[in-house]
Structure formats: C-alpha cells, structure tokens
Amino acid sequence: MKIVHVASELYPYVKTGGLADAVGALVTTLAERGHEVAAIVPGYRALLDRPEAAGAARALRLHIPMGDVTYVGEVRAFSPRPRLTVYLICRDECFDRRGLYGNGERDYEDNAHRFLFFQKGAIEAMSLLDGTADIVHCHDWQAALLPLLLREAERRTRTVLAAKTVFTIHNILFQGLFPMRHFDATNLPPEYRGIDGLEFYGQMNWLKGGLLYADKITTVSPRYAEEIQTPAFGCGLEGVIATRRGDLHGLINGIDPTVWNPAIDPLLPARYNSEDLAGKAACRQALLKLTGLEATAKTPIYGMVCRLTEQKGINLLLANKDFFLKEKVRLVVLGSGEKRYEEAVKALCESAPGKMAFAHRLDEGMSHLIEAGSDFFLMPSLFEPCGLNQMYSQVYGTLPLASDVGGLSDTVIDLDREPRAGTGLTFAATIEGLRHALKRSLRLFADPARYSAAQRRGMTKDFGWATAATAYEKLYQDVG
Ligand code: ADP
C-alpha cells in the first residue's frame, strides 16, 4: 500500500515524547514490510541540522494561502531507508526555533499558523507522490485538521490525493485549541466554523476536527479507547467521540527492538539478556556511580523517567516522600517539565542526598541506564494513553510499578493478581494506591525467587511492532 504519515515528531530526528517513538517505529516497520511509506514532518531547525537531513533535496516550492496572505516555503525530501521518504515542510519563520511548541514558559502565540502551514504544506507535498495514497494517517492535534483540509482541497482541485484517512490520538489532553479568529487562516468554508464543525466552547478545536472528519480513528491502547469515551478521561470530547464509537479502535504501540534491547544497547556500559543478567548488575553499579548514590544488592533502586507534569503522577510521588525518606531504598528521577514539579522533586532529592538523585535534563543515554540499572520503574500516571517506559522496563528486567490506567493496564500484569503471569505491580492512581504498591514492592524484592521469575517473564515478553503493524495493516485494509 501507499501510506502517508503526517506528524509533528519522528524518531530519531525530532522528539519530545512518545509520539516520536511511535510514529518513527511505525513508519520504519511498515516500510520493512513492503509498503511505500512517506513521513511528512515540519522542517524544524534541529531536524535540518542533523546529518541525514542536511543534504535533503529541495523538492517543491510552497505558496500556501493562509487567509488573505500567502506563506512561502519549501518541501525538502530525503530517504533514510528503502521505501521510506521523509518530507520536511520548511519555512524558517515557523520552524527555526529552539522549542517545538513553546519557549519553555508558554506555547508560541502563532502555533495555529505554524501548524496550519504545516498541514497545508503536507497536502501540497502529496502531489510529489507517485499516484494517489491509499491511506493518509494523521497524528495528534498538529495534524488533526488534515483529513478535513484534504477533502476540501480535493473538492476544490477535483483530484483525489488519498483514498482514506486515519487519525490517531496519542494524548487527548492536547487538543489544538485556538481562538476562533484564527479560523480565517484555514480558508475553510464558513459552515465549519459552527458547533457542528470545529467550534468547541467558543474556540476552534482541531482534535474535534480529526474526530469528525477522519474515516477511522485510533488511539494507542484498547483501555484508553474505552476511557476517552467517559467524562473522567475524555477532556470534554467524550460526546464527540460517542458519535464515532463504531470507527474508534485502540491499537497498542510496540517498542523498537533495535533501540530498546539490553542485549545490543550501545548506550549501556554492559549488555545482558534474560539468560545472563551479569551485565544488568554492571549497569546498576554504573547508575549508582553516575548519581552518587550508594546501595547494596539488598537496597532496591526505584527509577523514573518522564515529563514532570500532572499527568505523570508527580503529586502521588511527592505525597509518598516518607517512603523514600524512611525505608532503605534509593530513588533516581530523570525529567523536566513544569517548574513547580521540577522544584519540588529537586527539593525532595536534595533533602536526602545519599538516598535520592534528580537529573533535570533530557538525556537519552541516562534514560537507558535508568531502565537497565534500576530494580523497579515508577509510573504513577493519572492517565496514560499507551506509555512506553513500562514496556522498556519489562524488557530491561526492571519491574514496573504502574497505575491501573490506559496502556499501563494493557501491558503490565500484576504479580499479586496473577502470580504465574505477573511482570510488575499495578495500583489505583491515588496516593494510597501508590503507597500500597511501594510496600508490596519491598516484600517482592525481599523474595529473590519471585522477583527473578517476574523479571524473566517481562524480559521475554514480545512488545515488538509486528503485532501493532499487523493491526494497522488490517485497519488500513478494512477502511479501504
Ligand atoms: P509521553 O509521550 O507522555 O511523554 P511515553 O512514556 O509514551 O510518555 O514516552 C516518553 C518517552 O520520552 C520515553 O521514551 C521516555 O524515556 C522519554 N523521556 C521522557 N523524559 C525524558 C528525559 N528527561 N530524558 C530522556 N528521555 C526522556
């Protein structure tokens, strides 16, 4: 099939979170399986500076109407592997910036224009494809208007660019909400301005557009597909989702075994597998050395790598600080995000320097070392569409402690509930839920036979993309 993916992030070129990992692995796997795949992403400065993209050929000049004005830009293209072409929608004024979406304090004021230009540029770039795409697959709010913009462009130009469209929600919290005054820049007919179109409590909501106008909608785990139909998780869009229930599918992400595999991981000081865990002990030592913590083999190390935001349950962690202060345990946190959480985690870790360490940065190498060198991995998320770290940690022989929500529920089996199949501990996403799980983890760590059996089960679980790719292929065929 000819499949076009449109997304704001693409591993390994540009990443702020799981979106990049998921899209990067999906396009690679689909190309390996024989499909002709295009990935269309914004030409961010960070991406253009990478060696792979530096030589990207100029493929097309862009003249994009944005309301009454025209934005000029260009499409560049490069092909990192057979059957995969990456198209970059470039315009320095939009994408030559330090951050992808904001300056660290606030979102950029012109995000509506930046990502409208991106989506309209993506539609123009499709003219470079050899024939009509079978599927245009759009991801998250930055590409959510594309199914609608595409159909309108086809109507205007009387050409068919794509047979069918698929829209995937990686996190329903981020909706692409903009003041209605930006509607003019869409150049869409006025009927889309109203409540039956993009309007959402007086604003323009792009995610709503994706939900209404894509042929199929997916999200990244079966449990999250259920959850977003409820007011507790739907972030106000549960009513719109209800109208598309029959077209909504929950397909769990896989993980990339060429990047996340302790047997070949070049970012680790030692490698290991489920048969021989000596390398894991070496990684544990390296992690202790890096963080300046001391621990014997009997002192469990809890690792955490995430954006420091409300979603990730930082409040639950902070409310359980007594556990980390009083018990014979160690805690390592790597992350950055909201200032209030950065300061609170820093203060907690600095209050007990030998016991806890906080690294406030983006650090791919350290994130691998934490996965490998910890004994438990903490994911007390309040909601989690799919989550990747709980899968990485199982593969790295580090037992996840994960709240019982979204993709965490779908990928972690609780040891106390299923002693013969369990690979971690799950708990209600509350302060007490986490407290209880932490206590259970101490008992588990004190029982090496039980701990290692769970560890080996996790390490041999198949989280590869083959299952996910097969599910997407089937969806593409069914929609076509
Ligand atoms: P989300 O997309 O909500 O941030 P996911 O668990 O789906 O959460 O994916 C997060 C990805 O980003 C993981 O690969 C994780 O290791 C990585 N990550 C998050 N924070 C950091 C950090 N400070 N340094 C390195 N990697 C990080």
Side-chain angles (χ1 to χ4, degrees), residues 412-457:
V412 182
I413 303 173
D414 185 89
L415 254 176
D416 288 328
R417 213 161 41 212
E418 296 190 44
R420 286 174 182 282
T423 56
L425 299 176
T426 61
F427 54 89
T430 59
I431 294 169
E432 296 69 33
L434 175 58
R435 183 174 304 144
H436 187 54
L438 288 167
K439 285 194 186 137
R440 288 198 287 147
S441 72
L442 285 183
R443 287 200 292 277
L444 173 58
F445 200 65
D447 183 346
R450 201 164 158 249
Y451 179 92
S452 359
Q455 188 178 43
R456 289 211 161 76
R457 277 195 293 272

Side-chain angles (χ1 to χ4, degrees), residues 4 6 40 62 64 89 117-127 146:
V4 179
V6 186
I40 308 185
L62 290 173
I64 304 289
I89 308 301
F117 171 75
F118 166 58
Q119 295 175 89
K120 292 178 173 192
I123 292 170
E124 293 296 308
M126 282 177 213
S127 68
L146 205 133

